[in-house]
Amino acid sequence: MSHNAQATGLDPTLVAELAAIAGSDGIVSRSAELKVYECDGWTIEKCSPDLLVMPRTTEQVSAVLKALWRREVAFVPRGAGTGLSGGALPVNAPVMICTSKMNRILSIDLANRRVEVQSGVVNLHVTNAVKRDRFLYAPDPSSQQACTIGGNIAENSGGPHTLKYGVTTNHVLGVTLVLADGEIVELGGPAEERCGYDLLGAVVGAEGTAGIVTRAVLKIIREPEGHRTLLATFADVEAATHAVSAIMASGIVPSAIEMMDQLIIRAVEDAFHVGLPAEAGAVLIIELDGLVAGLDEHAARVTEIACHNGASGVRLARDETERAGLWKARKRAFGAVGRLAPNYATQDGVVPRTRLPDILRTIQVISRKYGLAIGNVFHAGDGNIHPIVLYDERKPEEVRKAIAAGREILIACVEMGGSLTGEHGIGVEKQGEMPLLFSPEDLIAMSELRHVFDPLERSNPNKVIPRPGSCVEVAAPHRQVPI
Amino acid sequence: MSTDEIVQRVSLIVGAGQVGAPTGRAADAVKILSKPGDAAELAEVVRACETDRIALAPLGAARTLSQIRSLPVALGVSLGRLARVVAYEPKDLTITVEAGLSVGELNRALAPARQRLPVDPCDPDATTVGALIAASHAGPLRLSEGTTRDLLIGIRYVGHQGHSVHGGGRVVKNVAGYDLMKVLGGSFGTLGIITEATFKVRPLPEQYAMTRLSFDRAEKLFAAARELHDSLPLAHLEGLSSAAAYACGSPARFLLVAGISGSSSEVASLRDATARAAPGAVFVERGDALHAYARLRDFDASAWALTAQIAVAPAQLSSILAATDAQYLAHMGCGVATLFLPEPPADGRITIDGWRQAARRAGGYLRILHAHRSFRGSVEFFDMPNDGALKLMRRLKAAFDPAGVFNPGCFVGGI
Ligand SMILES: Cc1cc2nc3c(=O)[nH]c(=O)nc-3n(C[C@H](O)[C@H](O)[C@H](O)COP(=O)(O)OP(=O)(O)OC[C@H]3O[C@@H](n4cnc5c(N)ncnc54)[C@H](O)[C@@H]3O)c2cc1C
Ligand SMILES: Cc1cc2nc3c(=O)[nH]c(=O)nc-3n(C[C@H](O)[C@H](O)[C@H](O)COP(=O)(O)OP(=O)(O)OC[C@H]3O[C@@H](n4cnc5c(N)ncnc54)[C@H](O)[C@@H]3O)c2cc1C
């Protein structure tokens, strides 16, 4: 069934009106070109929009949304499309509004440590713009070379360094939000305190259901004086995860603790030859940053704790090149996995840090049960796991198994006191699982909150909150293979 | 409904011994005080209030409401009997507590594992966790540790129809569903009654020391603050004018107080760097430093005739402070300051309007923390958001509190 049945044949006068607003190069209507937008990083489900609009300014976004509002047409915002939960999938939303032409850094204010950007600016470009002055933008998703600030705000994205520095919501001070009816609202601002309810806090993580963010005021921070980056090698993931808890309990707050298991280590080593110990059962990349004065002492403590917890070796990156090599290995791990199987699905569960050994054991059991290889590369310091389930989409049975295995892992996370998602969001992928975590009362309150911004659900409809009755349809729009 | 009728009605739910006349500050804020024994009783109280349209106010130490309101609300709800630590696993660096627990108690629960919740309301033993969240408080450590909103990762509250609603969870990273923590945080009890909260906690630094610098001119204070903030990672950085400095125990016309913390080698290095960046700095260490910090944290806004919190883009703070006649205690580097006047101004409204306009021009806002009785009724405690935001705020209030019973009329724009 087509999910955009209501839109088949978008009114030509609407298309003309939108083209007049966004310019003829700001619009894509040919179905072959629209195919590019049929999914994001969550490739299991696909459906194309009927029309893509790429506005350049807040005013254009407002005019576009007003035109859609008058005709009762729903839309989906899209940044770079790196989302891993199908958030930018145009389910029941004929028009996709992409921020790719809204990519200007509007101002840099070093005295106030603020940067003001259009929402289509790529995450890494913010840091690049202030690097010379020794500042950086702290949230650093592994997709930071591509993903946009608007997408980061919608997903409340994190990254390796959020262990110490926090996630997106801790670094956004203000936004311009265009509501579904086209009204432009300013929330927050350059000050650190809010006036009235923290609506900005609600927009962050709303997964595009509150309207379109067109501009953001971000906090930047001073680059730390120094770093120490360690690679600790373990015989198995169990020992490595115990080491994580022990480090966290020691009173030292590393800026990142990332784990890779055997399968990932091999894939990365084969792809990039960065010198990871190919035989190891697991490695931890541990980064410490801050004043140079304390770093060697902390690095020695962490080394001692790791060895005490079974590390067979701890290597300190000797220089910036070695450090960059380790981070390159980590950040490209997903890409390296692509060499192991035709397809993979990245899961995103969270457990309390102390339950990491339990969840990794459970993942092994699930892997054996379904006969699918599952690799693990994740933000261990946060308890945020990313099991990567390998499968072959040409085999419908494997697709079914991959989905079932992912679901079982998430259920286990919730049972261990964790969550369904630490950074990728609910999107379409995990709507069905929301009741595992939230009661009907919780979900009603969340719906009410969403309706404060978008009472008619025109902005990214049918997302996040499962709908009673229509759940199945929402959770499985146009799967690429029948399941 | 008469006061007696309300007492009767609520007694049926919480027991006669748990309803009565309020005392102390609470007496200025509410007519009756009730103390539900658990969340289920609280839910029933809320349902009863909705049915009978009885306005109710959740209370901590009642320092805020007694200021904001000219008339007391019918029913106060104290969470004094919901004050347990629900879950604490030191290795996870998270803690879940009931909202009636005091911030002081919470920190004592964390202390054996050498951890803390690094937000410090004045008088932590009086401030409840619920009030801390609802008033969205943050003290000097906000410079290095962020604010309550940064540390709150899970919440449970009793909302309309007595529904117990939760958002977030017990893990440090969680983006499942909408962020109800942010919505309830800073809501001043107008959307529901917070019953439980989960925080990220942090390790207690090994060492803490304080640096003090005295100045005869404000400009020198601002220049030194800028220099220190630019060159060093400080735990906190406060600028104090004379009355604030005196209240904090160190007479000076202008005083800069910088906190340094970390391992012993970090503190030693910061000490050297501070001495280089700010010649003349006096160091206070160990117990003396902690004691001095507590005086700074407990700086009492209600001791003054008019006190306001101002929040602006950080670099604009010094020009605002330079232009005002007010005394101040300023979180330099964060753009947040407490302004106060020891004596009631000739016209409180004019004074407040002046401060408010200055804050707006600097991209920020102003909130009154305390006003002398003589003009309390005539001033707006909260700054007004822009029209678009206010419209959404009204919708939020209507959605979460359709019966209009949670702390009506005490928040922005009369919400
Ligand atoms: C290899 C790889 C590694 C990744 N690593 C991480 C990681 O470490 N941490 C992490 O958190 N995520 C990670 N992700 C997931 C993804 O990159 C993030 O969720 C990112 O924030 C999405 O940004 P985007 O611009 O691609 O958004 P999109 O995928 O285009 O959209 C994501 C959601 O945001 C909404 N949206 C986009 N722009 C706007 C806007 N302007 N206004 C309102 N809503 C909007 C969309 O409707 C959608 O719901 C990774 C993804 C990949 C492919
Ligand atoms: C004199 C004074 C000085 C202050 N100084 C500062 C300052 O420097 N910086 C700053 O940021 N703030 C400041 N504040 C505000 C301060 O954050 C609060 O007063 C304090 O944190 C809470 O203390 P309390 O127990 O007296 O709260 P209360 O006055 O009892 O409650 C505060 C608010 O929270 C609501 N509330 C209480 N419990 C709950 C609950 N369980 N669920 C939902 N709502 C609840 C109340 O209804 C009220 O609106 C100051 C306030 C005063 C009165």
Side-chain angles (χ1 to χ4, degrees), chain A residues 14 30 83 115 200 213 216 289 312 364 378 380 398 409 411:
Chain A
L14 171 64
R30 299 237 305 270
V115 174
L200 169 63
V213 173
D289 71 14
S312 59
Q364 276 175 19
F378 61 96
E398 280 201 3
I409 293 171
I411 293 172

PDB file of all heavy atoms in Angstrom, chain A residues 14 30 83 115 200 213 216 289 312 364 378 380 398 409 411:
ATOM      1  N   LEU A  14      -0.416  23.953  -6.003  1.00  0.00           N
ATOM      2  CA  LEU A  14       0.408  23.968  -4.788  1.00  0.00           C
ATOM      3  C   LEU A  14       1.883  23.851  -5.172  1.00  0.00           C
ATOM      4  O   LEU A  14       2.730  24.603  -4.680  1.00  0.00           O
ATOM      5  CB  LEU A  14       0.006  22.811  -3.851  1.00  0.00           C
ATOM      6  CG  LEU A  14       0.936  22.586  -2.649  1.00  0.00           C
ATOM      7  CD1 LEU A  14       0.916  23.791  -1.701  1.00  0.00           C
ATOM      8  CD2 LEU A  14       0.546  21.325  -1.870  1.00  0.00           C
ATOM      9  N   ARG A  30      10.500  15.150  -9.670  1.00  0.00           N
ATOM     10  CA  ARG A  30      10.605  13.962 -10.533  1.00  0.00           C
ATOM     11  C   ARG A  30      10.827  12.720  -9.682  1.00  0.00           C
ATOM     12  O   ARG A  30      11.704  12.689  -8.813  1.00  0.00           O
ATOM     13  CB  ARG A  30      11.761  14.129 -11.509  1.00  0.00           C
ATOM     14  CG  ARG A  30      11.579  15.340 -12.438  1.00  0.00           C
ATOM     15  CD  ARG A  30      11.626  14.955 -13.902  1.00  0.00           C
ATOM     16  NE  ARG A  30      12.843  14.224 -14.242  1.00  0.00           N
ATOM     17  CZ  ARG A  30      13.960  14.812 -14.644  1.00  0.00           C
ATOM     18  NH1 ARG A  30      14.035  16.119 -14.727  1.00  0.00           N
ATOM     19  NH2 ARG A  30      15.013  14.072 -14.954  1.00  0.00           N
ATOM     20  N   GLY A  83      19.770   9.853   9.932  1.00  0.00           N
ATOM     21  CA  GLY A  83      19.018   9.291  11.061  1.00  0.00           C
ATOM     22  C   GLY A  83      18.938   7.779  10.951  1.00  0.00           C
ATOM     23  O   GLY A  83      18.829   7.226   9.857  1.00  0.00           O
ATOM     24  N   VAL A 115      27.531  30.449  18.948  1.00  0.00           N
ATOM     25  CA  VAL A 115      27.528  30.446  17.494  1.00  0.00           C
ATOM     26  C   VAL A 115      26.074  30.352  17.060  1.00  0.00           C
ATOM     27  O   VAL A 115      25.299  29.595  17.635  1.00  0.00           O
ATOM     28  CB  VAL A 115      28.326  29.237  16.947  1.00  0.00           C
ATOM     29  CG1 VAL A 115      28.196  29.151  15.437  1.00  0.00           C
ATOM     30  CG2 VAL A 115      29.794  29.342  17.327  1.00  0.00           C
ATOM     31  N   LEU A 200      11.889  25.189  24.632  1.00  0.00           N
ATOM     32  CA  LEU A 200      13.059  24.802  23.851  1.00  0.00           C
ATOM     33  C   LEU A 200      13.489  23.388  24.243  1.00  0.00           C
ATOM     34  O   LEU A 200      13.789  22.550  23.388  1.00  0.00           O
ATOM     35  CB  LEU A 200      14.194  25.795  24.102  1.00  0.00           C
ATOM     36  CG  LEU A 200      15.567  25.395  23.576  1.00  0.00           C
ATOM     37  CD1 LEU A 200      15.550  25.264  22.060  1.00  0.00           C
ATOM     38  CD2 LEU A 200      16.623  26.391  24.009  1.00  0.00           C
ATOM     39  N   VAL A 213      12.859  23.508  12.776  1.00  0.00           N
ATOM     40  CA  VAL A 213      13.847  24.404  13.361  1.00  0.00           C
ATOM     41  C   VAL A 213      14.651  24.994  12.211  1.00  0.00           C
ATOM     42  O   VAL A 213      15.167  24.262  11.363  1.00  0.00           O
ATOM     43  CB  VAL A 213      14.784  23.639  14.315  1.00  0.00           C
ATOM     44  CG1 VAL A 213      15.921  24.534  14.795  1.00  0.00           C
ATOM     45  CG2 VAL A 213      14.002  23.086  15.495  1.00  0.00           C
ATOM     46  N   ALA A 216      19.572  28.123  15.076  1.00  0.00           N
ATOM     47  CA  ALA A 216      19.872  27.720  16.449  1.00  0.00           C
ATOM     48  C   ALA A 216      21.016  28.543  17.007  1.00  0.00           C
ATOM     49  O   ALA A 216      21.942  28.922  16.286  1.00  0.00           O
ATOM     50  CB  ALA A 216      20.232  26.237  16.497  1.00  0.00           C
ATOM     51  N   ASP A 289      40.644  14.339  29.164  1.00  0.00           N
ATOM     52  CA  ASP A 289      41.073  15.665  28.728  1.00  0.00           C
ATOM     53  C   ASP A 289      40.984  16.645  29.877  1.00  0.00           C
ATOM     54  O   ASP A 289      40.431  16.336  30.924  1.00  0.00           O
ATOM     55  CB  ASP A 289      40.295  16.134  27.486  1.00  0.00           C
ATOM     56  CG  ASP A 289      38.852  16.489  27.787  1.00  0.00           C
ATOM     57  OD1 ASP A 289      38.497  16.642  28.978  1.00  0.00           O
ATOM     58  OD2 ASP A 289      38.078  16.630  26.834  1.00  0.00           O
ATOM     59  N   SER A 312      44.959  -6.811  29.138  1.00  0.00           N
ATOM     60  CA  SER A 312      46.259  -7.439  28.892  1.00  0.00           C
ATOM     61  C   SER A 312      47.280  -6.386  28.486  1.00  0.00           C
ATOM     62  O   SER A 312      48.479  -6.640  28.499  1.00  0.00           O
ATOM     63  CB  SER A 312      46.130  -8.503  27.819  1.00  0.00           C
ATOM     64  OG  SER A 312      45.639  -7.911  26.641  1.00  0.00           O
ATOM     65  N   GLN A 364      24.856 -11.957  22.965  1.00  0.00           N
ATOM     66  CA  GLN A 364      25.477 -13.183  22.413  1.00  0.00           C
ATOM     67  C   GLN A 364      24.463 -14.312  22.282  1.00  0.00           C
ATOM     68  O   GLN A 364      24.408 -15.015  21.281  1.00  0.00           O
ATOM     69  CB  GLN A 364      26.610 -13.661  23.321  1.00  0.00           C
ATOM     70  CG  GLN A 364      27.928 -12.954  23.061  1.00  0.00           C
ATOM     71  CD  GLN A 364      28.991 -13.364  24.074  1.00  0.00           C
ATOM     72  OE1 GLN A 364      28.864 -14.394  24.736  1.00  0.00           O
ATOM     73  NE2 GLN A 364      30.018 -12.543  24.200  1.00  0.00           N
ATOM     74  N   PHE A 378      30.374   0.829  20.741  1.00  0.00           N
ATOM     75  CA  PHE A 378      29.407   1.683  21.441  1.00  0.00           C
ATOM     76  C   PHE A 378      30.030   2.586  22.501  1.00  0.00           C
ATOM     77  O   PHE A 378      31.207   2.492  22.817  1.00  0.00           O
ATOM     78  CB  PHE A 378      28.300   0.825  22.049  1.00  0.00           C
ATOM     79  CG  PHE A 378      28.764  -0.180  23.072  1.00  0.00           C
ATOM     80  CD1 PHE A 378      28.713   0.123  24.419  1.00  0.00           C
ATOM     81  CD2 PHE A 378      29.231  -1.432  22.679  1.00  0.00           C
ATOM     82  CE1 PHE A 378      29.118  -0.803  25.364  1.00  0.00           C
ATOM     83  CE2 PHE A 378      29.643  -2.360  23.618  1.00  0.00           C
ATOM     84  CZ  PHE A 378      29.592  -2.048  24.964  1.00  0.00           C
ATOM     85  N   ALA A 380      30.478   3.071  25.766  1.00  0.00           N
ATOM     86  CA  ALA A 380      30.399   2.253  26.977  1.00  0.00           C
ATOM     87  C   ALA A 380      30.261   3.100  28.243  1.00  0.00           C
ATOM     88  O   ALA A 380      29.561   2.717  29.176  1.00  0.00           O
ATOM     89  CB  ALA A 380      31.641   1.371  27.078  1.00  0.00           C
ATOM     90  N   GLU A 398      16.051 -13.629   6.725  1.00  0.00           N
ATOM     91  CA  GLU A 398      17.078 -12.942   7.521  1.00  0.00           C
ATOM     92  C   GLU A 398      16.617 -11.554   7.961  1.00  0.00           C
ATOM     93  O   GLU A 398      16.937 -11.101   9.052  1.00  0.00           O
ATOM     94  CB  GLU A 398      18.400 -12.840   6.738  1.00  0.00           C
ATOM     95  CG  GLU A 398      19.182 -14.122   6.800  1.00  0.00           C
ATOM     96  CD  GLU A 398      20.676 -13.932   6.496  1.00  0.00           C
ATOM     97  OE1 GLU A 398      21.127 -12.783   6.286  1.00  0.00           O
ATOM     98  OE2 GLU A 398      21.370 -14.953   6.462  1.00  0.00           O
ATOM     99  N   ILE A 409      16.733  -7.508  21.851  1.00  0.00           N
ATOM    100  CA  ILE A 409      17.796  -6.786  22.565  1.00  0.00           C
ATOM    101  C   ILE A 409      17.198  -5.588  23.307  1.00  0.00           C
ATOM    102  O   ILE A 409      17.513  -5.333  24.466  1.00  0.00           O
ATOM    103  CB  ILE A 409      18.897  -6.321  21.585  1.00  0.00           C
ATOM    104  CG1 ILE A 409      19.631  -7.545  21.012  1.00  0.00           C
ATOM    105  CG2 ILE A 409      19.871  -5.376  22.271  1.00  0.00           C
ATOM    106  CD1 ILE A 409      20.587  -7.226  19.870  1.00  0.00           C
ATOM    107  N   ILE A 411      14.130  -5.169  24.349  1.00  0.00           N
ATOM    108  CA  ILE A 411      13.318  -5.620  25.483  1.00  0.00           C
ATOM    109  C   ILE A 411      14.244  -5.906  26.669  1.00  0.00           C
ATOM    110  O   ILE A 411      13.957  -5.521  27.805  1.00  0.00           O
ATOM    111  CB  ILE A 411      12.489  -6.870  25.112  1.00  0.00           C
ATOM    112  CG1 ILE A 411      11.432  -6.492  24.077  1.00  0.00           C
ATOM    113  CG2 ILE A 411      11.840  -7.489  26.354  1.00  0.00           C
ATOM    114  CD1 ILE A 411      10.668  -7.668  23.487  1.00  0.00           C
TER     115      ILE A 411
END
